[in-house]
Amino acid sequence: MEFRYYMPVKTFFGKDCIVKNSGEFPLLGKKAFIVTGKSSAEKNGSLADVKKALDNVNIPYVIYNKIEPNPEVEDMRKAAVCASESGADFIIGIGGGSPLDAAKAIAKNTPLPIAAIPTTAGTGSEMTPYSILTFDKIRNKKSISTESIFPAAAFLDPAYTETLSAEVTVNTAIDALSHAIEGYLSVRSTDVVKPYALESIKLIGECIPELEKRSFKSDTREKLLYASMLAGIVIAHAGTTAVHAMGYPLTYHKHIDHGRANGLVLYHYLKFVERESEKVKDITDIMGISGVDEFGEILDRLLGVKEMLTEQEITEFTKTAIAGKNIANTRPQPEESDIRKIFEDSFRR
Ligand code: NAP
Ligand code: FE
């Protein structure tokens, strides 16, 4: 056995975990720069809880609520200037993967300690050393990866995810499932994280009936957030694979949500991997389904009407995807023609 395991995120999970653990914030610094999206943190209670916790311990803060989905790298440079001018010595990211990844990008250069508060159940960004940014210059998304952007603390309160639309809930759940599956199948997967991956897949599998009905009980929200956190720990070690490499151009050029973009290619990726790996069966077994084809049927129901790609788009996205660094994690190692075929099969009607 040989592995490397590193998970430096002090993690709190549960109802009211931010206010209950206000005492954690003075450990991070003396003034906070809060990075969040346009509006959801106001509505789901997370921002109010952070303000209350900071007030409890007399920590001043500045709020930067301009983060849009799929943050662009130049915007992050401007935000980092605001952070530096504010005099803050730590960053609090509140929101979905976009504000969390923005918080990491803003903190990166100094680097500053980060507290991460997810309000979607999908990216697992609170547990990863990655910040996925949009780079208009290369017309794609790209991941920055460095241990200094591991959040120092993460607070996961499932109550914040209650306000998610059904669409974002489904798309982010598919992202988490994709992380667990890709991490499990990655060449970098380890004995430590494989059980996390299978547990995450099992838990998300249990939520599929509600995901299909697009109606969620509170304990399902909790399960999805926990599963997404586990999947984050998995990709922090094992990385993602061809699915994410293929999803990025779909998001950049076709404006398809990140989780949905992964979901659109996941079935044909599994068909590709299954040819050489018995591990795919572990995934369908733990979900209690008959095989990859039944998995494809579930995805079809979750995704509904699929987008179309032109031949030219398939050619361009194939070239982009095959250059992705996570292609190296994929086994069997795909050739350009394999990636093209996965795109073609995924978008064939
Ligand atoms: P998101 O882009 O952060 O948010 C999508 C939408 O959901 C936004 O409109 C947001 O509102 C809204 N929203 C967030 N929380 C909500 C809540 N509790 N209630 C109601 N609405 C809410 O979506 P995401 O899927 O979580 O993140 C996607 C990003 O994460 C992508 O850039 C992807 O590449 C990245 N990602 C990162 C990692 C990693 O390891 N770092 C892994 C996978 C994916 P606001 O406008 O108010 O924000
Ligand atoms: Fe992802």
Side-chain angles (χ1 to χ4, degrees), residues 39-40 44 70 96-98 101 119-120 125 128 130 141 160 163 258:
S39 62
S40 58
N44 62 38
N70 305 304
S98 298
D101 286 3
T119 66
T120 62
S125 178
T128 72
Y130 311 133
K141 303 191 68 174
Y160 305 144
T163 53
H258 172 69

Side-chain angles (χ1 to χ4, degrees), residues 1 17 85 104 122 138-140 143 146 160 175-176 187 194-196 202 206 219 237 251 289 299 305 318-319 349:
M1 198 184 284
C17 64
E85 286 171 0
K104 291 168 163 179
I138 59 159
R139 292 162 55 78
N140 198 18
S143 119
T146 168
Y160 305 144
D175 189 25
V187 288
K194 276 182 200 157
Y196 284 56
K202 178 170 140 277
E206 289 168 6
D219 58 351
H237 295 86
T251 298
I289 57 176
L299 280 173
V305 180
T318 298
K319 285 205 163 25
R349 284 184 178 244

Side-chain angles (χ1 to χ4, degrees), residues 35 41 47 59 72 86 95 98 156 166 218 228 288 296 300:
V35 176
L47 185 59
I59 290 190
E72 211 280 327
S86 76
S98 298
L156 297 92
S218 291
S228 151
D300 280 346

Side-chain angles (χ1 to χ4, degrees), residues 62-289:
V62 173
I63 299 175
Y64 188 89
N65 59 356
K66 295 185 195 159
I67 305 301
E68 298 193 17
N70 305 304
E72 211 280 327
V73 67
E74 285 308 321
D75 294 337
M76 295 306 98
R77 288 193 225 284
K78 288 177 202 150
V81 171
C82 295
S84 155
E85 286 171 0
S86 76
D89 58 359
F90 72 106
I91 310 284
I92 303 179
I94 312 175
S98 298
L100 299 190
D101 286 3
K104 291 168 163 179
I106 292 166
K108 178 177 170 267
N109 279 352
T110 309
L112 298 174
I114 303 160
I117 298 161
T119 66
T120 62
T123 72
S125 178
E126 69 279 5
M127 309 309 277
T128 72
Y130 311 133
S131 169
I132 320 292
L133 300 179
T134 298
F135 287 71
D136 284 333
K137 268 195 189 146
I138 59 159
R139 292 162 55 78
N140 198 18
K141 303 191 68 174
K142 204 170 84 176
S143 119
I144 297 171
S145 169
T146 168
E147 278 178 4
S148 71
I149 58 171
F150 257 124
F155 300 88
L156 297 92
D157 185 335
Y160 305 144
T161 64
E162 298 273 355
T163 53
L164 284 170
S165 67
E167 193 188 0
V168 177
T169 307
V170 170
N171 290 343
T172 48
I174 294 174
D175 189 25
L177 180 60
S178 196
H179 294 161
I181 289 176
E182 290 176 72
Y184 187 73
L185 297 175
S186 164
V187 288
R188 289 165 49 206
S189 205
T190 69
D191 290 302
V192 182
V193 299
K194 276 182 200 157
Y196 284 56
L198 289 176
E199 178 69 5
S200 178
I201 293 164
K202 178 170 140 277
L203 293 172
I204 299 170
E206 289 168 6
C207 300
I208 283 169
E210 284 178 54
L211 289 165
E212 285 184 3
K213 276 189 280 170
R214 289 166 157 69
S215 134
F216 309 96
K217 296 193 210 88
S218 291
D219 58 351
T220 302
R221 294 274 185 206
E222 179 174 274
K223 212 183 255 188
L224 287 171
L225 187 63
Y226 179 62
S228 151
M229 181 205 80
L230 290 179
I233 299 172
V234 174
I235 58 167
H237 295 86
T240 55
T241 65
V243 175
H244 271 66
M246 298 176 76
Y248 293 152
L250 292 173
T251 298
Y252 187 83
H253 294 279
K254 304 291 285 180
H255 310 291
I256 299 173
D257 280 0
H258 172 69
R260 180 175 174 85
N262 295 332
L264 286 166
V265 296
L266 190 52
Y267 167 64
H268 286 285
Y269 156 81
L270 286 175
K271 294 290 277 183
F272 171 73
V273 175
E274 189 185 39
R275 290 188 288 172
E276 282 188 30
S277 171
E278 297 191 345
K279 284 164 78 187
V280 175
K281 193 171 173 320
D282 300 342
I283 293 167
T284 49
D285 281 354
I286 201 120
M287 291 177 80
I289 57 176

